[in-house]
Structure formats: C-alpha cells, structure tokens
Amino acid sequence: MSELPPDHNADDQPDPLNAFEEIIAEETTRDPDLAVIEAGSRTLRTQGGPPDADIPTRPADPEVDKALREVEAELATRWGETKLEPSVSRIAALMDVLGEPQRSYPSIHITGTNGKTSTARMIEALLGAFELRTGRYTSPHVQSITERISLDGAPISAERFIETYQDIKPYIEMVDAQQDYRLSFFEVLTGMAYAAFADAPADVAVVEVGMGGSWDATNVIDGDVAVVTPIDLDHTDRLGSTHAEIATEKAGIIKQGATVIMAQQPVDAAQVLLKKAVEVDATVAREGLEFGVVERQVAVGGQLVTLRGLGGEYPEVYLPLHGAHQAHNAAVALAAVEAFFGVGAQRADQLDLDTVRKAFAAVASPGRLEVVRRSPTVVLDAAHNPAGARAAAEAIGEAFQFSRLIGVVGASGDKNVRGLLEAFEPVFAEIVVTQNSSHRAMDADELAGIAVEVFGEERVQVEPRLPDALEAAITLAEEEGEFAGGGVLVTGSVITVGEARLLLGRG
C-alpha cells in the first residue's frame, strides 16, 4: 500500500458532520462508463508505472490460442455492440433454454453513464473480502475478450472461456433459428457470463449494463440491489437527449422490492428514478442523504477517505485511485454492499471496518488516471464524454504536479468531441490529435479541425498514427528538461487508451 500522509491535528480538520451536510448541494462530475482497460506490450523509451493488475494476454499454448481465435471469429460474425435492436426477447429465449442460470445466484446490477466499471470493481473487491465468490461482467474489452467475464476477481482463463462457449453454442443456434434476428455479439457474451457464474458457482454476480437498462441484454436478472451511477448525456441517439429520457431507460433495471443505491444525479434524472422506485416498491438510498463522502485527503498513490455508509461511518479508508469522482464511486460501492448484506434494513450494525479498509486498499481500475511510465510521466484515462473529461482534468491537477501537460487525444466520431476537448483545454499546454484503429474513430484531420477551434492552431499537432502521436507528446513533455515535471495524458476513447497501453509496455 502506498505511503499515507502524516496524521494532522484533529483541531485543524473540518467537522465531518458539517462536511457531510454539504454533500447534498455538491455538484458531481464523474468518470465515464468505461471498459476494463487492460493490455500489455512494448516500450517506447523507458518503462515505468505500478505493477500490472489482472491483465489477460494471449494464451501461451498455440492450440488454446487457435481455439480462442476461432471463437472470436465466430462471435465477430454477429451484430456488433453499436448495432442494436432494443429488445430482451432473444436473450430471454436463450436463458429459457439454458434453464435460467441467471436465477441461481443473487446479483447487483449497475447502470448509469459514468463510473460503472470502477464501481463494479470496488463492489467485487468488497464482496470478495467478505469471503463471497464473485462473478463480474463488464464491457467492452480492449486486449482480450476474456476480460469481460471474471470469477473471484480475475478474468476467466481462455480455456474456460472456450469451454463455456462450446457448452452453450447448441442452444445459441437453437435460439437463432427461432428469432427474427440472430443473437448479437453482446447477447452471446452475456449468456456466457451468466452460464459461467452458475457453473462456478458464484455466490453473487456483479453485472454492468452494456447500454441503457430496460432493453439491455443484461436485464434478464432481477438484481437484489440496483446501482445507478451518475447519469449524463451520452449515447443520446439511442437513449434520449435529456437526463430524464436517459434516466427512464436506465430505471429499467430497478425491479420489484429491490434496493436502489443512487449516486448524485441531475434533478430531472433523480425524479424519474425515484418515481420508478415508488412504482415497484423499491427502497432507495441516496448519495448525500443516506450515504456519502464525509472527508477526503490526497495521499501518495491515491487518497484517504472517510465514508458514511448505511450503517455508520468508515474513517481513514485508503483508496489507491485518484480523483474526487473515485471517492464518490467508493461511497456508492460501499452502500451497495451494505444493502446486499441487509445493513440499514435487517441489521443496524455496520460492516467490519478492517475488512472494508483491506478491500478498498486492493482496488485497481486500469485505464483511469493510470500511470504507465515515468520520465516523463505518462498517464492513461479513457474519458470519452465531457463529464468524464471534466472529472479527469480536475483529478489530474489535484493528484499530479505537472509543470507542462501534453494531451494525446483519439476520439470516436459519435461522441461530443468538442465538449471533451473544451473540458481538457485549461489543463493541456499542447495537444497531439490522433486516431485509433477502430472503425468508429474520428479521422485525425477532422479532430484537428475541432481542436484548432478550441486550442488555437499553435497548440495543436496532428499525428494520425498513435505510435507517432505518443512519441511526439513525449518529446514535447521532455522539452523543459529531465526534472522539469512535464507529463502526458492519453485520453479520448477506450480503444485509444487500450492501444496506448500496448505501446507503452504494460503487460
């Protein structure tokens, strides 16, 4: 665990009760819903950064690798994740022929725009610390498709992934033959996750929605706890153009009699979520009222937080992640696990403090203000919408003392790119625009045109190839000298961050 700051005189500290009251009116900006950003690779100049987290690589056994590639090739023939037909009929049919595996364990279901994956990882860590066997399903993947399905805190092996696919393949084909459209890529993976959790068997599943809620393929579970992380404007072409419209879709995961853990929300989104909770007789716990962040201090490698949960206060919890948004994610995760264990409802006592501290101290969230090398320092953050960019910009200023920060940005064409760039403009001395290998990537020249309008021509450099963009940014960061404190932030897209990770020697 990283060194924590020295204790301060208690008289110098703000009153936690007063601080907690201020949460209600606090404006919240958070990280985007991202994938688990995990990859591995080669080094451009010098390697650095913390040890790797649970990062799967290609199988060492050639036969296993071949079999995995065959499964990947078959999945690639299906509808991709950006092509949707809003219905759960196909995944429901698959669950039916599989014997409803998703009903063999309780689940915690997570939706929202920002912070889903970090929150899922924190929930998983807490449940594991209390000796429960967890299954976690997150999306999308970056390096290996096996990243999406985790058991006991680690991605399932390639062998197990292949076996799971082969086991349910006949049922997939059966459902395909009965439906107007074949099961999509995401629907098949969701079916595999639920089957793998049942086979393990998992004590509890932690499930992140792919998009929305009501018609998301994951929504064939009846989550005992429904978590709604901060809602913002993203995927507006599919979910709606207002916070209320998006919240209406996301509220679909709130089931009869469930407990809803609700992060701070825009007022119109909160109204929609509360109305749905009333309709299905769900119990609601709201950040800023029933739980929240009481206090936080920047620490070496992360932050020291005091959280108020449903059962009481949890002081001096070390979280090895940067930014106020991660402290809020931690509060949401803690409340979700308390609710799962019945704290605040069936029982009045809080969770064991030492166990909570141990769990949070072990949390990792690759690709979220993650340092991947030093001299100069290169940080990765997959912010891909304005809210996520604002959170990242604020956090990097708090956690790092860069005298000169260079941005490397590769974005998707279907995002609010101007809003993202405007959020980073105050913290980037210069920006290198590029593009990743995805078919959804915005052309580097088109991105440069927007960047020039935001930053001015003299602060924008164009490098269409990501390796060249990284090299250019590192050179710019080094211009002030070896000990001047220059840094590089790579951001804009999950894919950009994943590919940069490969290039910068992680794995």
Side-chain angles (χ1 to χ4, degrees):
M1 185 172 81
S2 298
E3 180 185 347
L4 302 180
D7 292 334
H8 296 284
N9 189 309
D11 294 336
D12 296 333
Q13 300 303 310
D15 183 352
L17 292 177
N18 291 338
F20 187 77
E21 293 299 325
E22 294 173 4
I23 294 172
I24 299 172
E26 182 182 355
E27 180 181 356
T28 305
T29 52
R30 309 288 264 278
D31 259 354
D33 50 329
L34 329 146
V36 177
I37 315 299
E38 297 165 339
S41 68
R42 71 177 179 85
T43 301
L44 281 180
R45 294 188 186 173
T46 62
Q47 191 167 346
D52 292 314
D54 50 339
I55 302 173
T57 57
R58 296 303 310 185
D61 186 326
E63 291 302 314
V64 175
D65 187 53
K66 179 183 177 182
L68 180 60
R69 291 183 187 278
E70 288 173 353
V71 172
E72 291 170 325
E74 289 185 24
L75 290 171
T77 65
R78 298 179 176 274
W79 276 3
E81 290 169 285
T82 59
K83 185 173 182 179
L84 304 170
E85 196 274 321
S87 167
V88 295
S89 60
R90 292 176 301 279
I91 187 67
L94 179 61
M95 293 296 99
D96 182 54
V97 297
L98 289 175
E100 304 290 347
Q102 82 282 14
R103 304 198 188 285
S104 63
Y105 40 79
S107 57
I108 297 176
H109 205 179
I110 307 169
T111 190
T113 303
N114 301 328
K116 293 195 298 292
T117 300
S118 283
T119 303
R121 281 178 163 267
M122 293 177 192
I123 291 172
E124 174 189 52
L126 283 164
L127 292 169
F130 284 100
E131 300 184 352
L132 292 183
R133 187 166 205 200
T134 58
R136 172 171 54 86
Y137 181 53
T138 53
S139 61
H141 70 275
V142 175
Q143 179 196 359
S144 172
I145 198 170
T146 61
E147 295 169 23
R148 295 177 179 242
I149 305 172
S150 292
L151 288 171
D152 296 323
I156 64 174
S157 66
E159 291 87 348
R160 190 162 194 166
F161 186 91
I162 296 162
E163 180 182 353
T164 301
Y165 176 75
Q166 296 298 342
D167 283 347
I168 73 170
K169 183 178 178 180
Y171 302 96
I172 293 170
E173 293 173 344
M174 185 186 307
V175 172
D176 283 344
Q178 297 170 349
Q179 300 291 317
D180 293 335
Y181 304 102
R182 297 169 69 213
L183 288 155
S184 70
F185 172 87
F186 186 72
E187 287 168 334
V188 171
L189 284 173
T190 301
M192 290 173 61
Y194 290 163
F197 298 161
D199 185 60
D203 295 319
V204 55
V206 182
V207 178
E208 174 188 337
V209 303
M211 185 184 298
S214 296
W215 42 258
D216 187 75
T218 63
N219 202 30
V220 288
I221 58 173
D222 292 325
D224 301 78
V225 178
V227 176
V228 187
T229 67
I231 290 173
D232 214 302
L233 301 181
D234 201 6
H235 301 297
T236 53
D237 56 330
R238 298 180 176 91
L239 302 179
S241 58
T242 68
H243 293 119
E245 289 174 347
I246 293 172
T248 299
E249 288 297 329
K250 295 183 183 294
I253 74 163
I254 301 173
K255 304 298 173 59
Q256 187 72 35
T259 300
V260 183
I261 303 300
M262 195 170 81
Q264 290 181 356
Q265 304 291 349
V267 173
D268 52 349
Q271 290 173 339
V272 170
L273 297 170
L274 292 171
K275 181 181 178 182
K276 177 59 182 288
V278 170
E279 291 172 355
V280 297
D281 196 26
T283 302
V284 179
R286 301 153 294 177
E287 183 183 6
L289 294 175
E290 285 76 28
F291 69 93
V293 180
V294 174
E295 185 180 2
R296 57 181 294 270
Q297 303 173 42
V298 175
V300 177
Q303 55 193 302
L304 192 67
V305 299
T306 294
L307 304 175
R308 178 167 295 179
L310 305 179
E313 199 164 285
Y314 297 79
E316 298 183 346
V317 175
Y318 177 66
L319 182 66
L321 300 173
H322 300 293
H325 57 286
Q326 294 290 15
H328 288 282
N329 288 340
V332 170
L334 176 61
V337 173
E338 285 184 309
F340 181 79
F341 284 124
V343 174
Q346 290 87 16
R347 48 185 285 196
D349 58 316
Q350 66 185 89
L351 301 178
D352 180 71
L353 177 58
D354 288 340
T355 304
V356 169
R357 285 173 172 166
K358 179 180 177 181
F360 276 121
V363 169
S365 193
R368 303 193 179 204
L369 291 179
E370 178 189 19
V371 177
V372 292
R373 59 154 283 175
R374 303 283 185 182
S375 187
T377 298
V378 178
V379 183
L380 306 181
D381 192 275
H384 60 269
N385 61 31
R390 288 191 295 270
E394 179 182 350
I396 202 165
E398 175 186 83
F400 302 91
Q401 300 300 316
F402 292 127
S403 59
R404 174 181 171 85
L405 181 63
I406 309 300
V408 175
V409 178
S412 296
D414 58 351
K415 297 295 181 180
N416 181 357
V417 175
R418 179 179 294 275
L420 181 141
L421 294 178
E422 288 174 345
F424 281 122
E425 190 277 332
V427 298
F428 287 164
E430 296 183 55
I431 181 173
V432 182
V433 298
T434 187
Q435 65 190 76
N436 58 56
S437 63
S438 169
H439 67 279
R440 296 170 57 204
M442 176 175 281
D443 178 78
D445 289 332
E446 182 182 355
L447 179 57
I450 302 173
V452 167
E453 294 176 2
V454 174
F455 289 84
E457 187 172 356
E458 69 283 355
R459 294 168 64 192
V460 179
Q461 182 171 332
V462 185
E463 295 290 350
R465 296 181 65 253
L466 182 56
D468 296 337
L470 293 171
E471 195 72 50
I474 289 170
T475 299
L476 288 170
E478 289 176 335
E479 283 183 355
E480 292 188 337
E482 184 178 358
F483 303 106
V488 175
L489 175 64
V490 184
T491 188
S493 164
V494 170
I495 304 302
T496 300
V497 165
E499 293 179 356
R501 224 175 181 279
L502 286 164
L503 293 167
L504 290 165
R506 305 300 289 153

